[in-house]
Amino acid sequence: MARVPLPFRRSPGSASVRQAPTAPRPFLRALGMVAVVLFGAWLGLLAVGGVRTTVGPMDTTMTLRPSLGGGTRIDVSPLGALELDSHHAPVRLDVDVDRLDPVRSQALVRHPERLAGLEDEVTEDVAAGTRELALRSCVAVVTGATALGLAVYRRPRRALGAGGLALALLAASGVGVYATWNPKSVMEPKFSGLLSSAPSVVGDARSIVTDFDVYQRELARLVTNVTKLYDATSTLPVYRPDPATLRVLHVSDIHLNPAAWHIIGSLVEQYDIDVIIDSGDTMDHGTAVENGFLDPIADLGAPYVWVRGNHDSAQTQEYLENRKRFPDVHVLDQGRAVSVGGLRVAGVGDPQFTPDRTGPEQAADVQSVAGRTLAAALREQRRSGTPADIAVAHEPEAVRETDGEVPLALAGHVHHRSNEVLDGGTRLMVEGSTGGGGLRAVQNEKPEQVLASVLYLDRSTRRLQAWDEITLGGLGLTTAEVSRHLPQPEAGPASPPPTAPAPSP
């Protein structure tokens, strides 16, 4: 009789009983799924990349990135970036301004009437780019999460669950963006890089937004050179220079800094300068070996009026007086006046120029004597029916002697700006160093700033209407600021208020 084997049984307390594998805890499974979804969504966004879209005359790339703080970042290479606290959601919008399209930019310059519809065009471009970016990002997030879920779990249902969760998270992020959207964030951007000086440059953004018609008139120049962006300040609605306005660039104390010529040339082009006035100390020692430094003046693109400073010399002056080499340079001394660019300018050279630092001319009141010489020449010119509009000397002490004889006096020497109306009504404007102190800048604890000013004068009355103070960071610094100023009405015999009507809106 055959034996039937009985099932083997072990007692419940036996140590050799095999336990069935326990399933992971539910919260661990959920945590793993969330990790797969987030990582897959991030990979999807990276794989799709950004959306290249045209915004007005600019080519941009829009990209969505995971972020804890949300917001919008606009990268304007190489100037820097600005961040907007536009929303609070786990996604951030990155906008890279790749370049200004030269064809579209030149079209705006040649046809300014197109600026009238530029605001609507930019709005439509941004909206279209955002819609395309949202659609592509949605597909990328769901696809990335689903693909990674399939690779990890190897189960279609789990993979589809990961894709569905990614879609839900994306929808929740969209709701978060909509709920926390802050349209006022454009008024309070955070700047970095070169643009870190933009708050002081641009001023009150609300004024630019509410006066967009003024801003768009400047846009034709803005698109061709970024420096004109700094001209779109909050004071633009107050003063609008028209094409007939005389523009004078005041520079001083270049001190052999070759970078100054590039800065001056750029400002001449951007501001359409009529006359450059240099109030001296272009050189450092006034030796003949330095004369070649002056050669770029011939290519600046505007007439150049120059007076000798205490670091210039008779050799420097003689070199600049060569009309064959410098046909557009006008050297002023001993009260000589010249009519150039619609203005009449008179000036006197510094009596303490290098290397002539000995002799009777070095008396304590030597600057006052030079100033009185200039004032006498101004009186003679007025009696002869050819009054000067601007007086120039290197040292402020000298040009103060012309108070009451001329509406505007310019000087340098002290390496910092000052602006005042003297007792007789003459406005004295002292410019800082356009060369950032030259080679001496490396001897200071902090780099010296590069300073220049653009003066706007009425063509008929030749009176000062406004001026822009341009400030650049010195050696090793990359900052740029432009601030606009309007003259306050002052009583005085030499500065009657302008009779020309205010520029039309």
Side-chain angles (χ1 to χ4, degrees), residues 332-349:
L332 304 183
D333 199 5
Q334 298 300 315
R336 174 176 176 257
V338 61
S339 296
V340 56
L343 293 169
R344 188 160 178 82
V345 187
V348 63

Side-chain angles (χ1 to χ4, degrees), residues 85-397:
D85 190 18
S86 57
H87 61 274
H88 298 282
V91 289
R92 186 186 75 207
L93 175 62
D94 288 352
V95 181
D96 293 331
V97 179
D98 300 325
R99 70 183 186 114
L100 282 170
D101 184 87
V103 176
R104 298 195 299 271
S105 300
Q106 291 173 8
L108 284 175
V109 174
R110 292 170 183 160
H111 304 283
E113 66 276 4
R114 298 184 183 179
L115 296 174
L118 188 61
E119 183 180 12
D120 295 334
E121 178 186 344
V122 169
T123 303
E124 293 174 2
D125 291 342
V126 171
T130 304
R131 286 193 298 267
E132 182 181 356
L133 177 63
L135 179 61
R136 291 183 59 176
S137 298
C138 182
V139 174
V141 165
V142 174
T143 303
T146 303
L148 187 61
L150 186 61
V152 172
Y153 297 112
R154 300 183 182 277
R155 295 180 183 179
R157 292 183 62 182
R158 286 285 185 90
L160 291 176
L165 181 56
L167 183 60
L169 290 176
L170 188 62
S173 299
V175 172
V177 171
Y178 180 80
T180 61
W181 179 252
N182 178 22
K184 295 182 179 180
S185 61
V186 296
M187 306 296 185
E188 300 172 350
K190 297 178 182 179
F191 299 86
S192 62
L194 264 176
L195 296 178
S196 59
S197 60
S200 58
V201 171
V202 176
D204 186 2
R206 293 176 178 83
S207 298
I208 295 178
V209 173
T210 55
D211 295 281
F212 188 80
D213 59 328
V214 179
Y215 175 78
Q216 64 183 358
R217 277 195 287 271
E218 287 295 311
L219 191 60
R221 295 188 182 96
L222 300 182
V223 296
T224 57
N225 197 300
V226 71
T227 305
K228 288 298 291 181
L229 173 62
Y230 301 131
D231 194 32
T233 64
S234 59
T235 55
L236 267 179
V238 181
Y239 172 73
R240 305 174 178 90
D242 56 53
T245 302
L246 292 171
R247 293 166 168 85
V248 177
L249 177 61
H250 182 200
V251 301
S252 188
D253 296 85
I254 293 174
H255 286 295
L256 285 182
N257 186 345
W261 300 131
H262 298 283
I263 296 170
I264 293 172
S266 177
L267 293 174
V268 167
E269 180 179 357
Q270 293 157 22
Y271 285 88
D272 195 17
I273 295 298
D274 296 294
V275 183
I276 305 168
I277 297 180
D278 185 342
S279 50
D281 271 7
T282 314
M283 313 297 262
D284 219 1
H285 301 287
T287 61
V289 134
E290 298 172 337
N291 285 343
F293 171 75
L294 301 169
D295 291 344
I297 293 178
D299 302 319
L300 291 179
Y304 199 92
V305 177
W306 182 86
V307 297
R308 185 181 62 245
N310 62 294
H311 280 270
D312 306 315
S313 70
Q315 290 177 318
T316 306
Q317 183 164 321
E318 183 179 356
Y319 189 80
L320 281 172
E321 286 174 335
N322 188 323
R323 299 294 293 177
K324 292 183 179 180
R325 185 183 291 111
F326 301 107
D328 282 337
V329 172
H330 305 272
V331 176
L332 304 183
D333 199 5
Q334 298 300 315
R336 174 176 176 257
V338 61
S339 296
V340 56
L343 293 169
R344 188 160 178 82
V345 187
V348 63
D350 197 303
Q352 295 179 300
F353 58 90
T354 59
D356 304 319
R357 294 192 175 276
T358 59
E361 71 277 14
Q362 306 305 312
D365 62 345
V366 63
Q367 295 296 338
S368 297
V369 172
R372 288 195 290 271
T373 300
L374 177 57
L378 292 171
R379 286 191 292 271
E380 182 60 31
Q381 291 161 19
R382 187 172 64 250
R383 283 193 293 267
S384 63
T386 56
D389 305 306
I390 301 175
V392 189
H394 180 62
E395 291 210 21
E397 182 182 349

Side-chain angles (χ1 to χ4, degrees), residues 385-436:
T386 56
D389 305 306
I390 301 175
V392 189
H394 180 62
E395 291 210 21
E397 182 182 349
V399 82
R400 283 179 181 275
E401 297 292 335
T402 66
D403 184 20
E405 306 295 343
V406 70
L408 180 62
L410 306 179
H413 183 63
V414 294
H415 288 211
H416 63 80
R417 285 194 184 105
S418 66
N419 192 315
E420 62 178 306
V421 177
L422 304 177
D423 294 338
T426 295
R427 179 177 293 275
L428 171 59
M429 303 183 74
V430 180
E431 190 54 82
S433 174
T434 309

